[in-house]
């Protein structure tokens, strides 16, 4: 993979990083999925991003740094970075996963991106993978810094209060994924009608995404 910008000494690590669990379920002999690598990659990415933010934005408090890291080290951003290096086209997927759009699904791409991070780390060292990560992540960090996070929940509340005093209700639909990488799915209701659904690594972010989608789609205008 020329777009990857790294040459593996142990190419079997890259193959493992690109192997989705659905492929292993269909090809049992010798196939190893990328879930264990994704676990390591998540930790390495968190360390590298955290250290960079700590060193670069020394005047920012812990809360601000945490919000910046959460805004950048998220499924959406990692999937975007995965697409930029053409990761989706290289994935080994089961027939069903491939047929239902898994090759372009954010969750699949972001997990594969973290697995690739682990593969590079295990194939080289921390400094090498740090440079690889930051060459891709720093532009996203700078973008997040230049565009402060918007409080979509408050904005939506203000918009709807002009129409009615009916309360907004955020309901957790599901909590999935391993302990180190939870995904919360939240449904947003108003006047007992579903306005939007949001998913993210924590409850607050999932609610913000649902509110953002509700503002964009404006389904409340018909209620």
């Amino acid at each position: 993979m020329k777009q990857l910008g790294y040459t593996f000494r142990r190419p079997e690590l890259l193959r493992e990083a690109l192997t989705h669990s659905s492929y292993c379920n269909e090809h049992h002999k010798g196939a190893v999925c990328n879930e264990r690598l994704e676990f390591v990659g998540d930790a390495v990415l968190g360390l590298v991003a955290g250290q960079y933010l700590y060193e670069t934005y020394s005047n920012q408090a812990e809360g601000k740094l945490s919000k910046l890291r959460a805004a950048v080290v998220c499924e959406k951003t990692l999937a975007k970075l995965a697409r930029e290096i053409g990761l989706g086209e290289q994935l080994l997927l089961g027939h069903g996963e491939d047929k239902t759009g898994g090759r372009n699904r954010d969750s699949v791409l972001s997990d594969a991106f973290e697995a690739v991070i682990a593969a590079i780390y295990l194939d080289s060292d921390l400094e090498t993978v740090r440079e690889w990560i930051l060459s891709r992540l720093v532009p996203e960090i700078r973008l997040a810094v230049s565009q402060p996070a918007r409080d979509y929940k408050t904005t939506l509340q203000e918009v709807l209060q002009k129409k009615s005093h009916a309360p907004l209700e955020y309901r957790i639909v599901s909590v999935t994924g391993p302990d180190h990488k939870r995904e919360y799915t939240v449904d947003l209701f108003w006047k007992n009608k579903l306005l939007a659904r949001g998913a993210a690594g924590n409850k607050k972010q999932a609610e913000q995404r649902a509110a953002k989608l509700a503002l964009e789609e404006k389904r409340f205008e018909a209620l």
Side-chain angles (χ1 to χ4, degrees), residues 6-7 12 22 51 59 83 86 103 116-117 161 186 215:
Y6 178 82
T7 301
E12 66 272 16
S22 62
Q51 182 182 2
N59 61 329
R83 291 186 180 96
R103 203 169 291 280
V116 167
I117 287 174
Q161 280 182 344
V186 171
L215 285 165

Side-chain angles (χ1 to χ4, degrees), residues 157 166-171 186-193:
Q157 183 72 45
L168 282 165
E169 184 180 1
Y170 295 86
R171 302 176 188 171
V186 171
D187 278 352
L188 169 56
F189 288 86
W190 187 58
K191 294 184 177 181
N192 293 318
K193 300 292 183 181

Side-chain angles (χ1 to χ4, degrees), residues 124-199:
S124 56
D125 51 46
L126 184 57
E127 184 56 33
T128 299
V129 76
R130 180 179 184 274
E131 292 178 1
W132 189 88
I133 291 170
L134 292 181
S135 67
R136 291 154 178 81
L137 201 64
V138 168
E140 301 299 326
I141 292 174
R142 290 173 178 167
L143 182 63
V145 170
S146 66
Q147 298 179 352
R150 183 180 174 188
D151 187 351
Y152 294 102
K153 288 179 64 177
T154 299
T155 301
L156 180 62
Q157 183 72 45
E158 292 172 350
V159 170
L160 294 183
Q161 280 182 344
K162 296 177 182 179
K163 297 170 66 68
S164 168
H165 289 292
L168 282 165
E169 184 180 1
Y170 295 86
R171 302 176 188 171
I172 296 179
V173 177
S174 64
V175 181
T176 58
D179 289 342
H180 75 282
K181 195 180 177 88
R182 291 292 193 198
E183 179 170 272
Y184 291 76
T185 301
V186 171
D187 278 352
L188 169 56
F189 288 86
W190 187 58
K191 294 184 177 181
N192 293 318
K193 300 292 183 181
L194 178 63
L195 293 185
R197 170 172 290 184

Side-chain angles (χ1 to χ4, degrees), residues 202-214:
N202 62 57
K203 179 175 175 286
K204 289 183 178 180
Q205 287 184 355
E207 290 175 350
Q208 286 286 350
R209 290 188 179 181
K212 180 177 183 291
L213 187 59

Side-chain angles (χ1 to χ4, degrees), residues 103-122:
R103 203 169 291 280
N104 195 45
R105 188 172 294 123
D106 280 2
S107 59
V108 173
L109 288 171
S110 62
D111 286 351
F113 189 81
E114 289 183 330
V116 167
I117 287 174
I120 294 175
Y121 167 65
L122 295 173

Side-chain angles (χ1 to χ4, degrees), residues 66-132:
S66 294
K67 288 180 180 179
L68 277 174
R69 183 173 60 183
V72 176
V73 183
C74 64
E75 183 180 283
K76 184 178 179 180
T77 298
L78 299 185
K80 173 188 173 184
L81 297 177
R83 291 186 180 96
E84 289 177 356
I85 59 175
L87 214 55
E89 293 82 355
Q90 305 298 323
L91 292 176
L92 297 175
L93 301 174
H95 178 71
E97 184 70 26
D98 197 3
K99 192 174 181 180
T100 56
R103 203 169 291 280
N104 195 45
R105 188 172 294 123
D106 280 2
S107 59
V108 173
L109 288 171
S110 62
D111 286 351
F113 189 81
E114 289 183 330
V116 167
I117 287 174
I120 294 175
Y121 167 65
L122 295 173
D123 193 62
S124 56
D125 51 46
L126 184 57
E127 184 56 33
T128 299
V129 76
R130 180 179 184 274
E131 292 178 1
W132 189 88

